[in-house]
Amino acid sequence: MRAYQVHSPGTQAILAELRPPRPQAGQLGVRIGACGLNFADLLMQRGEYQDTPEAPFTLGMEIAGRVEDIGAGVSGVSVGDRVAVFGGSGGLAEYGVFDAARAVPVPDAMSDIDAAAMQIAYGTSHVALEHKARLQPGETLLVLGAAGGVGLTAVEIGKLMGATVIACARGPEKLQAAKAAGADHLIDAKTEDIREAVKALGGADVVYDPVGGDQFEAAFRACNPEARILIIGFASGDVPRIKANHMLVKNIDVLGFYWGGYLKFRPEVVTDSLAQIFAWYEAGKIKPHVSNVLPLERVEEGLELLRSRASTGKVVITPTP
């Protein structure tokens, strides 16, 4: 089988020919139809991600495909079933083995591409906004990086939860993608003062920040009392310093959030969330915005779209279309 492998941190990953692995007890062997790319893949390739496996390893965190083999002790799944799995790695390959406990049935109406695109992006936003930040109907949600893979889902889910959504992104094209996802107000991070623009709209009750850097600082200063700031990631490459005295004065909560971490200590938070997300999909309330679909031999092109922030939605690789 072909797999896109990292042989040592900081080096270029390569498309390698490997012997297909066999599932062990509690695992599924899956023929991978689609794998979503994430900014974490770039960090993992550099050895900078918090859950980077020991090299050599195959990149690719979230997949969808068809079960081809079942390890001992697995029940409730049959060969031929379609599943979506957050494996953490191993997805950029034609075949992979994954823990059966992480597999979620894929509805008949959902393509592999949509199923692969939904898990991290929608799961991150749903758990962050509902479970972590306790977003309430009528509150104002500010989404930074609102045209990225997770940013668009935060706009979409924020609207489903009854919030007024302010979308912040760079340039008119990206802002139009956020508007199409349901944003009520748009801020161009290239040309506008984020702090002043948000304050003119009444301030933010919840901030969803996958960007960091100067945008975090601007959003922090535009928060209302008792606001909650969700730290999702640092796509800007700049990890901001948090002024604890300002948190104290305005009673602001700054909340670190890592979706995949819940699989280690409260997996039901993730599985319950995915059940809700897939139900919304089946009801026609949400659909992932996939901006690029590429074959396995073009993985590096897909990663560059993330690296340069040139995508306007999810980038998905199809190892076995």
Side-chain angles (χ1 to χ4, degrees):
M1 71 173 196
R2 298 181 303 161
Y4 196 71
Q5 283 216 313
V6 175
H7 286 269
S8 63
T11 63
Q12 176 69 45
I14 62 170
L15 193 58
E17 288 283 346
L18 306 175
R19 184 185 299 276
R22 293 295 303 275
Q24 303 300 309
Q27 294 183 323
L28 300 175
V30 180
R31 177 64 57 182
I32 300 171
C35 177
L37 294 186
N38 295 274
F39 189 77
D41 289 309
L42 298 174
L43 298 178
M44 200 177 292
Q45 189 169 353
R46 300 199 298 261
E48 298 174 359
Y49 191 60
Q50 59 263 30
D51 281 339
T52 300
E54 185 176 347
F57 66 91
T58 299
L59 287 170
M61 304 180 75
E62 55 183 341
I63 66 99
R66 195 171 297 276
V67 176
E68 286 197 351
D69 200 358
I70 299 175
V74 176
S75 60
V77 183
S78 301
V79 171
D81 286 354
R82 296 178 61 232
V83 294
V85 185
F86 172 74
S89 62
L92 287 174
E94 294 172 324
Y95 180 88
V97 294
F98 306 97
D99 289 345
R102 297 188 177 194
V104 180
V106 174
D108 291 340
M110 184 183 291
S111 68
D112 282 351
I113 290 171
D114 282 355
M118 294 195 76
Q119 294 170 76
I120 296 175
Y122 279 92
T124 294
S125 293
H126 182 239
V127 176
L129 293 174
E130 182 176 87
H131 176 76
K132 195 75 172 177
R134 309 171 307 281
L135 178 67
Q136 301 298 308
E139 289 191 312
T140 296
L141 167 66
L142 170 62
V143 180
L144 304 178
V150 294
L152 282 170
T153 67
V155 172
E156 205 169 349
I157 289 176
K159 287 301 296 179
L160 276 175
M161 294 178 66
T164 296
V165 179
I166 304 171
C168 180
R170 297 175 64 83
E173 182 182 357
K174 292 189 174 185
L175 287 172
Q176 284 306 306
K179 183 178 181 179
D184 298 288
H185 306 285
L186 307 175
I187 297 174
D188 191 333
K190 280 186 176 180
T191 60
E192 296 184 69
D193 184 316
I194 296 172
R195 177 194 180 193
E196 293 304 320
V198 174
K199 289 181 70 175
L201 293 168
D205 300 306
V206 174
V207 176
Y208 183 98
D209 181 16
V211 178
D214 292 342
Q215 292 194 30
F216 173 91
E217 177 67 21
F220 188 105
R221 297 174 71 190
C223 280
N224 292 326
E226 294 195 321
R228 289 86 73 199
I229 303 176
L230 289 157
I231 298 177
I232 307 297
F234 313 104
S236 68
D238 182 359
V239 178
R241 294 190 176 187
I242 299 168
K243 296 179 180 178
N245 59 322
H246 291 186
M247 291 172 59
L248 182 152
V249 170
K250 297 180 75 173
N251 286 287
I252 291 174
D253 293 336
V254 178
L255 306 169
F257 181 76
Y258 170 41
W259 179 79
Y262 279 96
L263 288 165
K264 298 179 180 179
F265 64 93
R266 287 193 65 189
E268 72 279 4
V269 172
V270 171
T271 54
D272 290 350
S273 171
L274 289 176
Q276 175 63 72
I277 289 164
F278 280 26
W280 277 337
Y281 181 97
E282 288 190 278
K285 294 183 177 180
I286 57 174
K287 182 175 174 60
H289 176 68
V290 178
S291 58
N292 302 85
V293 179
L294 300 168
L296 188 60
E297 56 268 22
R298 294 173 64 187
V299 169
E300 189 53 43
E301 181 180 333
L303 291 172
E304 180 57 31
L305 288 170
L306 301 187
R307 191 179 291 114
S308 63
R309 287 186 277 173
S311 63
T312 57
K314 193 72 176 180
V315 180
V316 176
I317 303 299
T318 52
T320 56

